[in-house]
């Protein structure tokens, strides 16, 4: 079985997986137990599995583990040590989540947009993540304050 070292949330993490084309999503959830990243569609549509890779949003269902080697991966668990990222604070202030399932992907996509220098309402137009609960209006309100 292939073994790799992945840089996740600032730490090098050795992983052994069943195959080199195992999606990063399953390595994060099942090997590293970072279950904040969610499986939604598995076909690169819903965004529930979004993580940050080298500062860019990446659907982790669409990245082989072997392609993630040598890159900086950040998951929702690593976004801030104490949930104090501005997007997390805005989400709390605007009571965005309902069931919460999609929200880590939403937050990671938002954090990537902020890292790219985008602010306010323009972030909302960049988010393509799907929320089955329909929290879009609250997300729009929250990102307007960023
Ligand atoms: S699970 Fe990856 S985009 Fe839906
Ligand atoms: S809050 Fe439930 S799917 Fe988005």
């Amino acid at each position: 079985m292939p073994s790799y070292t992945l840089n996740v949330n600032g730490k090098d993490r050795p992983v052994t997986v069943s195959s080199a084309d195992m999606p990063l999503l399953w390595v994060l959830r099942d090997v590293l137990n970072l279950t904040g990243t969610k499986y939604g569609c598995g076909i690169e549509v819903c965004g529930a599995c979004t993580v940050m890779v080298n500062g860019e949003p990446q659907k982790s269902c669409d990245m082989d583990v072997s392609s993630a080697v040598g890159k900086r991966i950040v998951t929702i668990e690593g976004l801030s040590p104490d949930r104090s990222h501005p997007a997390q604070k805005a989400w709390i202030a605007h009571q965005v989540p309902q069931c919460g399932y999609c929200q880590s992907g939403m937050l990671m996509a938002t954090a990537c947009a902020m890292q790219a220098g985008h602010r306010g309402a323009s972030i909302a137009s960049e988010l393509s993540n799907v929320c089955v609960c329909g929290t879009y209006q609250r997300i729009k309100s929250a990102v307007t304050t960023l």
Side-chain angles (χ1 to χ4, degrees):
M1 294 204 291
S3 295
Y4 303 100
T5 298
L6 300 181
N7 186 275
V8 182
N9 297 334
K11 289 189 184 140
D12 285 340
R13 305 287 305 268
V15 295
T16 299
V17 296
S18 55
S19 72
D21 60 359
M22 178 186 274
L24 176 62
L25 173 61
W26 300 124
V27 179
L28 294 173
R29 287 184 55 84
D30 294 348
V31 180
L32 295 175
N33 201 31
L34 295 167
T35 54
T37 304
K38 298 293 192 264
Y39 168 70
C41 62
I43 53 170
E44 310 149 43
V45 173
C46 73
C49 66
T50 303
V51 297
M52 194 181 281
V53 176
N54 284 351
E56 301 283 336
Q58 171 69 48
K59 289 169 178 162
S60 58
C61 70
D62 184 36
M63 176 177 245
D64 293 346
V65 58
S66 55
S67 305
V69 174
K71 298 181 174 150
R72 285 175 293 108
I73 301 156
V74 180
T75 70
I76 188 71
E77 290 87 351
L79 186 57
S80 79
D82 55 1
R83 303 180 188 176
S84 63
H85 187 281
Q88 288 171 307
K89 285 180 160 176
W91 253 237
I92 292 166
H94 290 264
Q95 298 186 21
V96 172
Q98 291 193 34
C99 81
Y101 198 86
C102 70
Q103 298 296 329
S104 57
M106 291 282 189
L107 281 163
M108 294 312 292
T110 300
C112 289
M114 291 178 73
Q115 193 150 304
H118 304 149
R119 293 290 179 269
S122 72
I123 295 173
S125 60
E126 287 178 52
L127 297 179
S128 59
N129 301 44
V130 174
C131 174
V132 178
C133 297
T135 59
Y136 301 110
Q137 278 307 117
R138 289 184 190 182
I139 288 169
K140 211 178 243 182
S141 304
V143 299
T144 303
T145 66
L146 297 174

